[in-house]
Amino acid sequence: MRVVIVTESFPPDVNGVAHCTMQTARHLAARGHEPLVIAPATAGATATSRSSGTPWRPPAASDPVRPPAASVPYPGASGIPWEPSSGSDPARPPASSTPYPGASGTPDVFESAAPCPVVRVPSLPLPGYSQVRVALPSRRLMAALIAHRAELVHLAGPFVLGARGMAAAARLGLPAVAVYQTDLAGYARTYLGAGENTAWRRMRAVHSAADRTLAPSTAAVRDLTEHGVERVRLWPRGVDTVRFRPGLRDEALRHRLAPGGEKIIGYVGRLAAEKHVELLAGACGLPGVRVVVVGDGPSGASLRAALPGAVFLGRRTGEDLARLFASLDMFVHTGPYETFCQTVQEAMASGVPVIAPAAGGPLDLVDHGRTGLLVPPHDADAVRAAVGALVADPARAAAYGRAGRTMVEGRTWEAVGDQLLDHYDEVLRGRTAVAA
């Protein structure tokens, strides 16, 4: 199956959308499918695409041309307007001397790790949050869909580039699966104090045009349904239980982080307003506790002032991150707008007890009183009390950690990826039945 994944973010970005997209592409390639990723150009990069070196077969002259949109019905197709691009972008793929539209043929350090070709479209940084790139209109997206001879379009966290991907899929009569990953209405409320309805109108238009929307948690399914999105199914996220494991606990690292033998309370994630990491301030004042913050973002400077005594380690990835997770005594997540919350799963896989808000994705992940504790959102006193309770009862904390590891052991990316392929198959069968 030739699948084009249109994503708002892709590595080297470090966030849930980028991580899930990479895992999806890997699984598709491992199962013998032919994925292609379309993503915004990264900071400091040109808009030209870079090939991973994965063999790509250009369309043969004998291959059938995709029918126009009108010949294949699709749900809600009129909901997304087509956005033409500037005349500077090519309307069709170039000659076959390059493997796909815009490709330079020279892999860079990040794209060479991808399991498939990656097409980058021009982008600009989001004002006030430069780590987030917003894709600009470009004909490269349509050209890549045609050149890859896509059979299905996968939209990862669609909002800007994903909306254009949905429009392009509609024009070509291609089935589309939209994956809901980001609570953009919650972000609008946090950063603008308004705009929730506008965000939901945009998301509803994109997701209603797709054949199926996949949501990562029961809370996300409910939110989408309540806001008028139909054809929503549950599709959770996997976790790498080989990389994230209790055996990586590092006593030398623990001594460096807490030389006085303090209990290490960790947060891992973006340092941004919507994450409300400042709720850890009360925990910083508990005796025998050392708060460790892993990540970066626009709130870094203010959080250093708000969390006295905390250790800030910046962004960590790979085995370094896995070792940090396993070396914590407990993991605390403070953000109330998580549609899933991958870091909670990674902490559980590492055998670490979890404290998280009783909202969104963590409601599915944390079994209160068995694998960790759920606290009211936005409640700093509740966070402090929960941390204090587990610090005072290390046997209880250890039991939570063991139970958490057991709970996630079957949630591998392989298992979750096969569930995704089942969704693809159902969507394609549905299209076939309608066409017949």
Side-chain angles (χ1 to χ4, degrees), residues 131-377:
Q131 292 95 331
V132 176
R133 307 288 300 186
V134 179
L136 298 173
S138 171
R139 291 184 181 179
R140 187 168 290 129
L141 187 154
M142 175 65 86
L145 285 170
I146 294 170
H148 195 63
R149 298 178 299 115
E151 298 171 87
L152 182 141
V153 177
H154 174 121
L155 306 169
F159 194 69
V160 179
L161 183 58
R164 297 179 189 127
M166 183 65 249
R171 282 192 74 182
L172 296 172
L174 296 171
V177 173
V179 179
Y180 175 67
Q181 295 188 247
T182 306
D183 181 5
L184 292 167
Y187 285 17
R189 182 166 59 248
T190 298
Y191 286 98
L192 304 176
E196 286 183 76
N197 291 337
T198 300
W200 271 115
R201 280 195 298 272
R202 176 76 167 182
M203 289 189 291
R204 182 165 52 246
V206 176
H207 287 278
S208 294
D211 294 74
R212 177 170 296 188
T213 287
L214 302 179
S217 63
T218 53
V221 170
R222 183 178 62 250
D223 285 347
L224 288 162
T225 303
E226 289 177 351
H227 284 88
V229 178
E230 300 178 344
R231 301 179 298 280
V232 182
R233 302 289 188 274
L234 179 66
W235 180 56
R237 300 292 176 266
V239 63
D240 188 340
T241 55
V242 175
R243 169 168 287 177
F244 295 98
R245 61 189 190 276
L248 290 179
R249 190 173 179 89
D250 186 331
E251 292 302 327
L253 172 61
R254 287 175 50 79
H255 180 73
R256 290 196 299 273
L257 295 173
E262 298 92 345
K263 295 293 185 181
I264 301 175
I265 314 304
Y267 166 86
V268 178
R270 287 196 307 277
L271 306 187
E274 75 275 6
K275 301 299 184 181
H276 291 284
V277 186
E278 72 278 359
L279 294 175
L280 286 170
C284 288
L286 289 172
V289 165
R290 174 59 53 87
V291 172
V292 172
V293 177
V294 180
D296 61 10
S299 298
S302 61
L303 287 171
R304 283 176 170 81
L307 304 178
V311 176
F312 286 78
L313 298 179
R315 179 185 295 187
R316 301 297 178 92
T317 60
E319 292 299 324
D320 190 20
L321 177 62
R323 188 164 49 254
L324 279 164
F325 262 117
S327 299
L328 300 176
D329 290 296
M330 70 189 75
F331 174 77
V332 181
H333 188 81
T334 49
Y337 304 123
E338 302 297 329
T339 60
F340 186 73
C341 203
Q342 183 66 14
T343 53
V344 164
Q345 277 206 139
E346 290 167 350
M348 293 168 71
S350 303
V352 175
V354 172
I355 297 170
L363 289 169
D364 284 359
L365 300 176
V366 181
D367 187 348
H368 181 74
R370 181 168 171 262
T371 65
L373 298 173
L374 293 169
V375 299

Side-chain angles (χ1 to χ4, degrees), residues 109-138:
V109 66
F110 296 108
E111 312 294 46
S112 63
C116 64
V118 180
V119 173
R120 296 285 186 175
V121 301
S123 71
L124 290 174
L126 184 68
Y129 202 159
S130 61
Q131 292 95 331
V132 176
R133 307 288 300 186
V134 179
L136 298 173
S138 171

Side-chain angles (χ1 to χ4, degrees), residues 10 23 65 124 161 223 294 385 393 423 436:
F10 193 68
Q23 294 292 345
V65 177
L124 290 174
L161 183 58
D223 285 347
V294 180
D393 192 347
H423 285 293

